[in-house]
Amino acid sequence: MVKRYLLILLIGFGTIFCQGLAQEKTDQIKIIHADEGTSHPTYANTHILKGNVVFEHDSTTMYCDSAYFFLDSNVFHAFSNISVVKGDSMKLEGDTLYYRGTSKTADMLGNIVYNDRKVQLVTNTLFYDFNTKIGRYDTPAVITNRADKNVLKSKKGEYHSENKTVYFKDSVRLHNKDYDMYSDTLVYNTATKTAFFYGPTEIISKDDKILCNAGVYNTETEVTSLWNSATIIGKEQTIIGDSIHYNREQGIGEIFGHVVMKDTANDVILYGDNGYHNELQDSTSIFGCAQMTQLNEKDTLFISAEYLTIKTDSLNENKQIRAYREVRIFQPDFQGVCDSLIYNDNDSLMRFFKTPILWSDESQITGDYIEAQTAKQSIKSLTVNKNAYIISEIDTTMYDQIQGKDLFAYFKEGKIAKVDVKGNGKTLYHILNEDSLYLEANSAECADIVVHFDKGAIHTIKFLESPNAVYQAIAEMSRKQRFLDGFKWKIQIRPNQEEFLQPAETSP
């Protein structure tokens, strides 16, 4: 962010115009000294002064090699080796000075160097209007802060005494030991201690790089707002949004519109309508069309929801991810939907709440509550509590089904390898004959059942107690007999990878 150093430099620039030239009084300019003085041959009441000329006006002393002094209009034109001194606090030098006491304006031209205890200004033009209390330069200038060696460059500059505002325009560059700032226009109000920057702006430090097209920074409260496509690029994090608001003291950042937050250290990208980051709590939240992308060399995990939050526990560095409302998840090995989700990376356990549905290969898994044990973004096992149900599609008319109070599913290489059903077990599976035809189906009931799978399809079923089983010809089965109670095949809402891809990822 724009640093506090800006305050001293800009206040110093204001003094150039406030005290650098004579004050707003109408007292007659006094001639203190001149080696030689003659009357102008054409203009009445006009002196031509040469050699060590000295003027004085309102405690400000002005030196030059020669000058025209127009007594009636209280104006002098000074030439060569101009030096304007106010006590020992400031000195202004240049080639030519036009000072008009009546109109209350002053122009200095050529090789201008201004020095006071705080800053130095170097430029070729300097103008001040005591009526409007506006000072300006319109040639490239360099302003250096003595204490911090901060340097500000711009092609134009303006100071408005009435509203205590400094304007730097055209190719503005602010440099100090910690950062460089480039902008089209920089505006600073010395009363509110607030800096505004307009046009393409770039702020570069050793820790981060900031890009925006407009912004405001309060040097006292250290509150910053960036607008019109703002970007903050850090060593391990990049934040993008239509606008970014940051309170350094509170450690809170808010991002609005088309939010992208990239965590390169953990290979995580967050997208959404709005974002919120709390540095003190090490938590990040995304609101509205929120999405998390967890990059991996082999597979990528996608999670979308209305609201996403990521929080890191500073004691054990455990990262917890929470997703709420219309949660959708995609990973090549499994996909899912639910109302809310919690994931902890210390135990790699993913919890699905409120009518969750998961898919793996041709199988759909449902229950009141599901826990997924993962490793390297691949599913290892599932625990399904209450109303557990697995449906495996053979074709659009036949589905193998497993149902029970609770079930435990185990995976191998991303495919279901084994299922343990605990309580109220029911199965309905179709039997493949030696001609690779499905002609019969077996429906059975048993409290506890163990089912083994081969390549994602039911291979063998073991009933741990005496089952109540029925073999039937599929052709003779009624529609009701083809489905266990509560059958709901939800393939139409199964997430796919394309829905998670962002515009930048889908463009050619």
Side-chain angles (χ1 to χ4, degrees):
M1 302 300 173
V2 182
K3 303 293 193 291
R4 186 182 295 275
Y5 303 114
L6 189 62
L7 174 63
I8 297 175
L9 189 147
L10 293 174
I11 290 177
F13 177 70
T15 64
I16 296 171
F17 297 109
C18 288
Q19 67 179 29
L21 299 172
Q23 304 301 302
E24 185 182 351
K25 291 189 177 181
T26 58
D27 296 344
Q28 185 69 27
I29 301 169
K30 298 178 182 179
I31 302 174
I32 303 302
H33 178 82
D35 292 344
E36 179 182 339
T38 58
S39 296
H40 196 284
T42 305
Y43 302 108
N45 294 324
T46 301
H47 296 312
I48 299 175
L49 307 174
K50 296 181 180 180
N52 300 309
V53 179
V54 181
F55 292 99
E56 188 177 275
H57 188 238
D58 190 34
S59 73
T60 299
T61 306
M62 291 160 275
Y63 303 87
C64 63
D65 287 349
S66 61
Y68 292 148
F69 183 31
F70 303 90
L71 279 73
D72 291 343
S73 57
N74 200 30
V75 170
F76 71 79
H77 294 183
F79 308 97
S80 185
N81 294 318
I82 307 297
S83 180
V84 181
V85 179
K86 189 173 182 69
D88 61 356
S89 61
M90 60 77 63
K91 185 177 183 181
L92 178 63
E93 300 175 294
D95 292 342
T96 305
L97 174 62
Y98 297 88
Y99 184 76
R100 308 168 190 89
T102 302
S103 63
K104 300 177 184 177
T105 60
D107 305 340
M108 181 170 276
L109 307 173
N111 299 308
I112 298 168
V113 179
Y114 166 86
N115 286 284
D116 65 18
R117 294 189 180 97
K118 293 182 178 180
V119 299
Q120 179 187 77
L121 166 70
V122 178
T123 188
N124 275 309
T125 61
L126 193 59
F127 311 100
Y128 192 76
D129 188 325
F130 292 96
N131 300 292
T132 61
K133 297 183 180 178
I134 296 176
R136 64 181 175 84
Y137 60 81
D138 56 14
T139 52
V142 179
I143 304 172
T144 305
N145 179 273
R146 297 188 184 282
D148 301 295
K149 305 300 182 184
N150 300 327
V151 178
L152 188 147
K153 297 180 180 179
S154 71
K155 293 184 178 180
K156 297 178 181 180
E158 209 168 274
Y159 180 72
H160 292 230
S161 302
E162 290 283 351
N163 57 20
K164 302 183 183 303
T165 302
V166 188
Y167 299 83
F168 301 103
K169 300 178 182 180
D170 198 347
S171 305
V172 180
R173 176 181 178 181
L174 178 60
H175 168 79
N176 68 37
K177 61 184 180 64
D178 293 319
Y179 71 96
D180 285 281
M181 174 180 178
Y182 304 86
S183 184
D184 178 76
T185 301
L186 175 62
V187 181
Y188 184 76
N189 187 288
T190 60
T192 62
K193 298 179 176 61
T194 302
F196 301 85
F197 29 95
Y198 303 97
T201 300
E202 186 174 359
I203 304 170
I204 303 172
S205 72
K206 62 180 180 180
D207 297 320
D208 53 41
K209 179 178 180 179
I210 298 172
L211 304 171
C212 67
N213 288 290
V216 57
Y217 172 63
N218 189 301
T219 60
E220 191 167 56
T221 63
E222 297 195 56
V223 174
T224 305
S225 293
L226 309 172
W227 307 312
N228 297 347
S229 301
T231 302
I232 301 176
I233 304 171
K235 292 181 178 179
E236 296 183 345
Q237 190 178 64
T238 297
I239 300 174
I240 301 171
D242 291 347
S243 61
I244 299 174
H245 181 79
Y246 177 68
N247 187 312
R248 182 181 295 276
E249 182 178 353
Q250 297 178 359
I252 293 176
E254 298 174 277
I255 310 99
F256 304 96
H258 302 95
V259 174
V260 180
M261 301 179 71
K262 299 180 181 179
D263 183 347
T264 55
N266 297 294
D267 290 327
V268 172
I269 306 176
L270 299 176
Y271 304 91
D273 293 338
N274 300 297
Y276 177 91
H277 180 68
N278 189 314
E279 291 179 345
L280 303 181
Q281 297 180 2
D282 198 1
S283 65
T284 301
S285 299
I286 301 293
F287 306 89
C289 300
Q291 178 182 312
M292 186 195 83
T293 301
Q294 173 75 61
L295 303 174
N296 185 276
E297 292 181 2
K298 187 176 181 181
D299 297 314
T300 297
L301 172 66
F302 301 93
I303 299 175
S304 68
E306 279 300 303
Y307 170 48
L308 271 171
T309 180
I310 301 177
K311 181 175 174 57
T312 302
D313 189 325
S314 58
L315 295 178
N316 55 26
E317 295 187 352
N318 171 46
K319 190 181 297 296
Q320 185 182 83
I321 300 169
R322 290 175 176 262
Y324 301 96
R325 293 191 295 278
E326 299 183 16
V327 179
R328 297 175 67 79
I329 181 171
F330 177 90
Q331 203 268 345
D333 287 347
F334 72 99
Q335 302 82 43
V337 298
C338 63
D339 178 75
S340 54
L341 174 152
I342 298 176
Y343 174 74
N344 288 295
D345 68 355
N346 64 337
D347 58 9
S348 299
L349 192 63
M350 193 174 293
R351 300 172 174 87
F352 300 84
F353 300 89
K354 197 172 181 180
T355 60
I357 307 174
L358 299 184
W359 291 268
S360 176
D361 281 337
E362 303 305 320
S363 297
Q364 174 184 288
I365 304 159
T366 58
D368 289 357
Y369 168 72
I370 300 176
E371 288 185 354
Q373 187 70 54
T374 63
K376 296 181 180 179
Q377 296 183 210
S378 181
I379 193 167
K380 295 300 180 183
S381 65
L382 284 179
T383 299
V384 186
N385 296 134
K386 295 183 180 180
N387 298 312
Y389 205 146
I390 296 181
I391 303 172
S392 297
E393 184 181 41
I394 298 174
D395 60 30
T396 57
T397 63
M398 292 187 290
Y399 300 87
D400 287 341
Q401 299 157 61
I402 303 171
Q403 193 178 65
K405 179 183 178 182
D406 304 316
L407 67 78
F408 305 89
Y410 305 91
F411 291 73
K412 184 177 181 180
E413 296 180 354
K415 298 180 181 294
I416 297 178
K418 176 187 175 185
V419 172
D420 292 336
V421 181
K422 301 295 183 182
N424 304 326
K426 296 180 181 181
T427 64
L428 172 61
Y429 73 99
H430 299 75
I431 301 168
L432 188 67
N433 67 14
E434 58 186 14
D435 295 323
S436 299
L437 298 174
Y438 289 100
L439 299 178
E440 293 182 305
N442 180 10
S443 59
E445 295 184 11
C446 184
D448 299 328
I449 304 172
V450 178
V451 182
H452 291 273
F453 286 73
D454 182 26
K455 297 180 181 178
I458 293 177
H459 181 61
T460 62
I461 299 178
K462 181 179 181 181
F463 301 98
L464 302 185
E465 298 177 10
S466 297
N468 179 12
V470 176
Y471 282 89
Q472 290 180 278
I474 296 174
E476 298 176 358
M477 295 175 68
S478 67
R479 178 172 178 79
K480 183 177 181 180
Q481 291 174 322
R482 291 174 180 266
F483 305 100
L484 299 178
D485 291 342
F487 178 92
K488 292 181 180 179
W489 182 242
K490 295 285 189 176
I491 193 65
Q492 70 274 12
I493 64 171
R494 185 175 187 173
N496 60 79
Q497 184 172 356
E498 285 70 23
E499 72 182 74
F500 294 91
L501 297 179
Q502 300 298 310
E505 298 168 329
T506 57
S507 60

